[in-house]
Amino acid sequence: MSGRSTFYVTTPIYYVNDVPHIGHAYATLACDVIARFKRLDGYDVHFLTGTDEHGQKVEKAAAAAGLTPQAFTDKVSQSFRDLIGVMNFSPDGFIRTTEKRHYAACQALWEKLVAAGDIYLGKYAGWYSVRDEAFYADSETEVGTDGKRRAGPVGNEVEWVEEPSYFFKLSAWGDRLLEFYDKNPRFIAPESRRNEVISFVKGGLQDLSVSRTSFSWGIPVPGDPKHIMYVWLDALTNYITECGYPDESNPLWRFWPADLHIIGKDIIRFHCVFWPAFLMAAGVATPKRVFASGWWTTEGQKISKSLGNAIDPVAATAEFGLDPFRYFLLREVPFGNDGDFQRRALIGRLNADLANAYGNLCQRVLSIVAKSCGEKVPPKGTLVEADTALLDRATGLLAVVRAEFDEQAFHRALTSIWEVIADANRYVDAQAPWALAKTDPVRRDTVMWVLAETIRRVTLLVQPFMPDSTAKILDQLAVPAEARTFAAFDRELASGTTLPKPQGVFPRFVEPAAAAS
Ligand code: ME8
């Protein structure tokens, strides 16, 4: 192979009971930005997304839609595929749990767990939430004032289930899991989630029901097809199916273990407790890190089907532009925290950060260069302290942003980049190139070179967040395609290069009502 370091990043696979909304777009966007960053940084990247198509929840949704589960999943899975184009995501793989390769991987994993002595046949009697596809202990449930029993991170209703079931001996894995968390302090992020998982495991683990017999939409248990596998055992396995499991000679096996699973905060227990336990039991390497994002509400309200208030990524990108929407989602809320989607806040950022700060910097600099420097990269004369200070800050960004990406701290990466953009705007005002045009055109050229070069450095780093807009800016600086990776970060703009006509990239957003009045 290439000899480059590999980097494998995954999204949750989405249930096909619902059409994609902002919450789904968010996790995939985070992975997309990381995948793009790592590619630019020279890694051999594999970025996986897909759909989770089995289980009772999907079976019920198909019945409600009057379709067979297969016809239903084919249709809804496609809407998640379509989101890739809408959001300009760059996955290397799209997995569906109804694929043959996935059946083979799940059944192989099951057989390994059986061979390891970690699976036994019993009977499940307890609570189950179809919405969460999760089993709950009696102590985890609560009866509300409406007489309904609920459980789990968002308080979904539970029902009593009694059926023959295979169990995974999770109770035997508590100590080994605690040791694993201890040895791998980066495994769960953010820190608050790590504490949550550790105290859950310390509280004692019950054996986990890993098969169901009361419905049939799933993967049959090898040798006992009346049982279908628990949808979470099936779903989690997708991450290794993609790499060819159990065939370790598959070229994609080089990506396992995954470097990063990005998930939502509601599915931590599955990824940080069950998943490493299954893998350790089966003798498969464990993923390096699981990062749980927070949840979006809209204008202060929980997103719900009945309120119909889910932000539709198709409508949002059409109204605000794709890149501004991508920027806003990762800039507005520290990744890992909950966030509220407010139209006012989005428009505010779009105008302040994109149109006024970054867009205006590019526009001012490129139009002076076009008008006064002969539509060419100006000559770089002698640099003075103010010039090197700005250039050094821009150069220093690569290490800063790299470190923030290692922590999935997108908002901090963006804040650091935008500080340099603000510095550059202040430098334009302080150097006043329009005045230098009359007094010292040689110095004016150097100032314009410093600015164009600063824009180049900053823009290279903004690429993962806003790929289309940054491509336009780099085109306007005549940066060749092969010089847009971080390996070329130090390759300065060559004076004398002819530049195309500048064009604005981030227009101001004017509310339709305000525009009409
Ligand atoms: O949980 N804000 O699928 P899912 C942010 N199939 N994130 C949100 C959100 C919101 N308002 N609403 C949902 C599943 N999400 C499983 C995953 S992985 C092996 C199997 C996030 O379609 C949610 O937290 O119900 C979850 O991470 C993701 O969307 C998929 O949810």
Side-chain angles (χ1 to χ4, degrees):
M1 283 294 123
S2 61
R4 291 179 295 152
S5 300
T6 58
F7 193 87
Y8 182 26
V9 59
T10 68
T11 73
I13 50 170
Y14 302 103
Y15 283 128
V16 288
N17 65 313
D18 206 355
V19 291
H21 64 59
I22 183 178
H24 308 120
Y26 187 49
T28 315
L29 173 62
C31 293
D32 183 64
V33 169
I34 290 171
R36 288 176 184 273
F37 186 91
K38 289 288 180 184
R39 288 184 197 120
L40 290 168
D41 215 9
Y43 286 77
D44 176 18
V45 171
H46 198 75
F47 161 24
L48 176 68
T49 187
T51 44
D52 187 355
E53 307 191 0
H54 290 132
Q56 213 171 352
K57 172 151 87 172
V58 171
E59 192 181 72
K60 278 189 172 176
L67 293 171
T68 62
Q70 188 64 56
F72 178 74
T73 54
D74 286 347
K75 184 168 155 234
V76 188
S77 178
Q78 186 56 41
S79 62
F80 282 92
R81 247 185 224 276
D82 294 344
L83 186 66
I84 294 171
V86 170
M87 293 292 297
N88 196 9
F89 294 147
S90 61
D92 300 293
F94 188 96
I95 189 161
R96 299 182 56 187
T97 55
T98 45
E99 289 174 55
K100 259 208 187 97
R101 60 171 174 153
H102 184 63
Y103 277 54
C106 288
Q107 292 182 333
L109 183 68
W110 181 279
E111 279 167 349
K112 276 268 188 247
L113 297 176
V114 171
D118 275 290
I119 286 197
Y120 64 91
L121 184 61
K123 184 176 166 204
Y124 180 76
W127 300 107
Y128 192 76
S129 158
V130 176
R131 288 204 69 135
D132 297 348
E133 295 282 18
F135 301 95
Y136 290 106
D138 203 52
S139 58
E140 291 177 295
T141 69
E142 220 172 74
V143 180
T145 45
D146 56 0
K148 289 181 176 157
R149 190 177 285 269
R150 294 189 168 79
V154 287
N156 283 323
E157 257 183 71
V158 292
E159 60 189 43
W160 185 255
V161 169
E162 269 188 53
E163 60 189 32
S165 170
Y166 285 94
F167 284 84
F168 173 73
K169 284 187 191 162
L170 187 63
S171 61
W173 283 90
D175 288 344
R176 280 173 285 184
L177 282 167
L178 290 171
E179 191 189 331
F180 169 70
Y181 304 142
D182 194 48
K183 285 203 178 128
N184 298 279
R186 281 179 54 81
F187 177 63
I188 309 169
E191 190 65 22
S192 56
R193 302 296 174 196
R194 179 180 156 76
N195 300 336
E196 185 184 310
V197 170
I198 290 175
S199 65
F200 172 72
V201 174
K202 280 191 173 155
L205 296 172
Q206 313 252 326
D207 287 350
L208 178 70
S209 166
V210 284
S211 75
R212 303 287 312 270
T213 39
S214 52
F215 66 99
S216 60
W217 183 236
I219 299 178
V221 164
D224 196 355
K226 288 187 306 300
H227 288 257
I228 58 156
M229 284 184 210
Y230 174 39
V231 66
W232 270 101
L233 174 56
D234 161 345
L236 289 161
T237 304
N238 91 86
Y239 303 129
I240 53 174
T241 300
E242 175 72 1
C243 300
Y245 185 80
D247 174 13
E248 298 191 2
S249 68
N250 187 305
L252 291 184
W253 190 254
R254 73 184 187 279
F255 289 108
W256 192 259
D259 293 271
L260 181 63
H261 293 315
I262 297 249
I263 59 162
K265 64 177 183 180
D266 54 323
I267 55 176
I268 293 173
R269 197 181 287 187
F270 305 100
H271 283 82
C272 298
V273 182
F274 302 171
W275 184 222
F278 294 153
L279 290 170
M280 288 195 271
V284 181
T286 44
K288 294 182 196 152
R289 186 168 166 92
V290 176
F291 191 103
S293 75
W295 270 35
W296 285 94
T297 48
T298 59
E299 309 288 345
Q301 279 181 321
K302 191 178 152 187
I303 294 175
S304 90
K305 248 188 180 173
S306 51
L307 291 173
N309 63 347
I311 299 291
D312 170 10
V314 177
T317 53
E319 181 170 19
F320 303 109
L322 169 60
D323 281 350
F325 183 58
R326 287 175 57 113
Y327 171 80
F328 174 76
L329 292 180
L330 294 179
R331 174 64 188 84
E332 183 67 4
V333 177
F335 198 57
N337 291 10
D338 289 333
D340 188 37
F341 186 92
Q342 293 177 0
R343 185 184 168 82
R344 215 167 34 106
L346 190 158
I347 295 169
R349 282 216 177 269
L350 210 158
N351 286 337
D353 300 1
L354 300 186
N356 291 355
Y358 188 27
N360 192 33
L361 175 69
C362 297
Q363 183 85 357
R364 296 159 103 175
V365 170
L366 290 166
S367 58
I368 297 178
V369 169
K371 273 198 212 110
S372 313
C373 307
E375 298 178 343
K376 288 189 168 56
V377 175
K380 171 189 177 185
T382 312
L383 300 182
V384 302
E385 202 190 317
D387 308 337
T388 47
L390 181 63
L391 290 167
D392 287 352
R393 276 198 297 273
T395 298
L397 276 178
L398 176 57
V400 170
V401 171
R402 211 180 249 145
E404 300 296 14
F405 264 81
D406 283 344
E407 301 301 316
Q408 292 76 50
F410 307 109
H411 66 295
R412 288 210 304 262
L414 287 168
T415 306
S416 304
I417 298 171
W418 256 254
E419 278 165 9
V420 176
I421 290 173
D423 287 342
N425 271 318
R426 275 191 291 271
Y427 171 95
V428 181
D429 297 337
Q431 300 296 323
W434 45 89
L436 287 172
K438 294 174 206 119
T439 56
D440 190 350
V442 173
R443 172 70 194 145
R444 190 270 323 273
D445 285 349
T446 300
V447 165
M448 296 321 295
W449 182 88
V450 167
L451 283 163
E453 174 59 20
T454 302
I455 293 173
R456 183 191 68 87
R457 293 181 196 181
V458 161
T459 303
L460 287 184
L461 293 172
V462 182
Q463 290 181 96
F465 296 95
M466 298 194 279
D468 288 346
S469 312
T470 49
K472 285 184 194 152
I473 296 169
L474 293 171
D475 287 348
Q476 295 184 38
L477 288 170
V479 176
E482 74 280 3
R484 295 182 184 192
T485 66
F486 300 153
F489 197 74
D490 296 330
R491 206 189 296 176
E492 295 183 343
L493 291 174
S495 300
T497 310
T498 303
L499 299 177
K501 266 212 171 3
Q503 276 170 358
V505 172
F506 297 112
R508 277 189 73 77
F509 183 87
V510 183
E511 279 283 13
S517 64

